[in-house]
């Protein structure tokens, strides 16, 4: 297919893959009980126009006569209720962790080559294997990882609507030297609800919809937890914890869907230093912030955070008052 001469600007944030190799280290085994183990309850708010998390299924309206949606991709559901599966949040947060910690590039298509051979996906063989920071946290084939997300359920009354968008084309050419994320631009409505070739319908939730769930972690250092917090879009500024950006989750990202802002609700922390599993320490609301602050700071001081990549991503994720491409780009 010829390249579209009127192509709209590509909505990508590009983060160069550093020339240094990932800092691979021995894994932490699950038998040890050391470091920070706990559960952080989170709420996220949709800050883009829409969020769509598909299940691959679709529904149709047999009475549509060309004037309204006939077939649409449905939002993911669990027991009949819309829901954002933990795996889809984990995937999105992992991609950010990989970029900001200079980890291996785990999510590449089969035929893609990255020019840095040192960033090829890690291979786990046994307990003596060395893995990059992201694989040590999230796992890789053969190693379970120490970070999980629960499914996120709607908080309050969250309604869906059927939205018409241009078809989503996979970018033809991958980039062998940079990681690619989607920018936060302004959604552009197509303007009608007629079924039309080159367009599709998706069931989405609107801006300000909220979902609640949890980040579950075991045996992490403060710096590792701080790395996760950076990937959730948090940072320290002076003496405060601030929101640095809104990560993207779900589908239709090329149509500027999926930006969400995470807020901590409650933290339960099991302290290994006390020996044995005692009742957890519980912090709620603003009382969680000093802990977040410490972890974010420990991460900044450690070598886990690759500061150039962090800066590039943070800069690129700033919302832009520019329209999102409506059609093929
Ligand atoms: Zn890795």
């Amino acid at each position: 297919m010829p390249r579209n001469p009127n192509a709209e600007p590509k909505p990508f944030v590009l983060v160069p893959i550093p020339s240094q190799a990932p800092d691979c280290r021995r894994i932490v085994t699950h038998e040890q009980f050391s470091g920070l183990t706990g559960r952080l309850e989170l709420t996220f708010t949709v800050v883009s126009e829409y969020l769509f998390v598909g299940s691959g299924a679709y529904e149709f309206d047999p009475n549509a006569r060309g004037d309204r949606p006939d077939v649409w991709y449905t939002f993911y559901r669990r027991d009949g209720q819309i829901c954002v599966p933990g795996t889809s949040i984990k995937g999105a947060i992992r991609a950010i962790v990989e970029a900001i910690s200079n980890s291996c590039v785990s999510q590449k298509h089969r035929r893609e080559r990255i020019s840095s051979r040192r960033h090829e996906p890690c291979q786990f063989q046994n307990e003596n294997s060395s893995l990059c920071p992201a694989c040590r946290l999230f796992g890789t084939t053969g190693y379970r990882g120490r970070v999980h997300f629960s499914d996120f359920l709607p908080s309050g009354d969250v309604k869906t609507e059927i939205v018409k968008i241009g078809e989503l084309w996979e970018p033809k050419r991958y980039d062998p030297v940079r990681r690619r994320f989607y920018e936060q631009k302004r959604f552009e409505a197509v303007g009608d609800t007629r079924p039309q070739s080159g367009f599709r319908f998706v069931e989405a939730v609107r801006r300000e919809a909220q979902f609640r769930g949890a980040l579950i972690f075991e045996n992490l250092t403060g710096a590792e937890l701080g790395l996760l917090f950076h990937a959730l879009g948090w940072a320290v500024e002076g003496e405060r914890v601030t929101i640095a950006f809104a990560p993207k989750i779900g589908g239709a990202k090329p149509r500027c869907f999926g930006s969400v802002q995470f807020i901590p609700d409650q933290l339960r922390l099991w302290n290994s230093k006390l020996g044995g599993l005692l009742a957890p320490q519980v912090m709620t609301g603003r009382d969680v912030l000093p802990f977040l602050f410490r972890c974010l700071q420990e991460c900044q001081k450690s070598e886990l955070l690759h500061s150039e990549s962090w800066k590039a991503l943070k800069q690129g994720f700033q919302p832009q008052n520019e329209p999102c491409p409506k059609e093929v780009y």
Side-chain angles (χ1 to χ4, degrees), residues 104 122 132 135:
C104 75
C122 298
C132 75
C135 288

Side-chain angles (χ1 to χ4, degrees), residues 156-212:
D157 187 22
V158 175
K159 290 196 170 61
T160 63
E161 57 183 273
I162 312 298
V163 188
K164 180 177 174 180
I165 55 173
E167 282 291 356
L168 306 164
W169 302 93
E170 275 285 305
K172 290 234 176 338
R173 290 184 299 180
Y174 59 89
D175 191 324
V177 294
R178 289 177 295 190
R179 303 178 201 253
R180 201 169 44 204
F181 295 87
Y182 285 99
E183 291 175 324
Q184 191 180 339
K185 289 188 169 174
R186 202 178 62 231
F187 172 74
E188 290 285 286
V190 174
D192 65 62
T193 54
R194 277 184 301 116
Q196 188 183 352
S197 140
F199 291 83
R200 66 167 67 177
F201 296 103
V202 295
E203 182 189 26
V205 298
R206 256 210 187 261
R207 188 195 297 278
E208 291 183 10
Q210 291 191 318
F211 288 79
R212 298 187 69 177

Side-chain angles (χ1 to χ4, degrees), residues 50-296:
Y50 292 105
L51 166 72
F52 166 62
V53 179
S55 56
Y58 53 88
E59 251 177 67
F60 66 97
D61 175 357
N63 299 317
R65 296 278 177 269
D67 56 337
R68 59 172 195 250
D70 48 0
V71 181
W72 58 91
Y73 290 86
T74 49
F75 204 98
Y76 186 89
R77 278 177 171 74
R78 199 182 77 184
D79 303 327
Q81 187 182 29
I82 61 163
C83 152
V84 178
T87 46
S88 85
I89 296 175
K90 183 173 163 180
I93 298 303
R94 177 180 185 138
I96 298 175
V97 165
E98 286 181 9
I100 65 176
S101 65
N102 186 24
S103 285
C104 75
V105 178
S106 73
Q107 301 294 313
K108 62 187 187 85
H109 296 287
R110 208 155 23 98
R111 282 167 44 223
E112 284 184 2
R113 282 257 153 69
I114 31 179
S115 61
S116 163
R117 295 201 24 223
R118 299 192 280 197
H119 289 79
E120 288 289 336
C122 298
Q123 302 287 334
F124 174 82
Q125 259 116 30
N126 55 45
E127 285 187 2
N128 297 316
S129 295
S130 286
L131 300 178
C132 75
C135 288
R136 291 204 296 276
L137 281 173
F138 293 95
T140 184
T141 309
Y143 176 59
R144 182 165 67 84
R146 294 170 288 145
V147 173
H148 305 273
F149 286 90
S150 73
D151 289 346
F152 277 58
L153 296 169
S155 169
D157 187 22
V158 175
K159 290 196 170 61
T160 63
E161 57 183 273
I162 312 298
V163 188
K164 180 177 174 180
I165 55 173
E167 282 291 356
L168 306 164
W169 302 93
E170 275 285 305
K172 290 234 176 338
R173 290 184 299 180
Y174 59 89
D175 191 324
V177 294
R178 289 177 295 190
R179 303 178 201 253
R180 201 169 44 204
F181 295 87
Y182 285 99
E183 291 175 324
Q184 191 180 339
K185 289 188 169 174
R186 202 178 62 231
F187 172 74
E188 290 285 286
V190 174
D192 65 62
T193 54
R194 277 184 301 116
Q196 188 183 352
S197 140
F199 291 83
R200 66 167 67 177
F201 296 103
V202 295
E203 182 189 26
V205 298
R206 256 210 187 261
R207 188 195 297 278
E208 291 183 10
Q210 291 191 318
F211 288 79
R212 298 187 69 177
L215 160 69
I216 300 135
F217 52 92
E218 38 178 318
N219 294 345
L220 260 54
T221 64
E224 284 177 318
L225 206 44
L227 182 63
L228 282 169
F229 294 164
H230 277 96
L232 289 172
W234 302 334
V236 287
E237 221 180 88
E239 297 297 303
R240 294 188 317 131
V241 178
T242 57
I243 302 246
F245 59 75
K248 286 208 167 211
I249 58 175
K253 293 191 191 84
R255 300 294 169 223
C256 298
F257 278 39
S259 295
V260 301
Q261 224 170 56
F262 285 95
I263 296 287
D265 292 327
Q266 189 183 67
L267 175 69
R268 285 165 182 272
L269 206 56
W270 281 272
N271 193 338
S272 61
K273 288 194 191 98
L274 300 172
L277 281 167
L278 301 174
Q281 201 186 342
V282 182
M283 290 162 254
T284 305
R286 298 194 62 80
D287 293 344
V288 183
L289 297 178
F291 177 79
L292 262 49
F293 185 86
R294 271 203 310 281
C295 294
L296 287 160

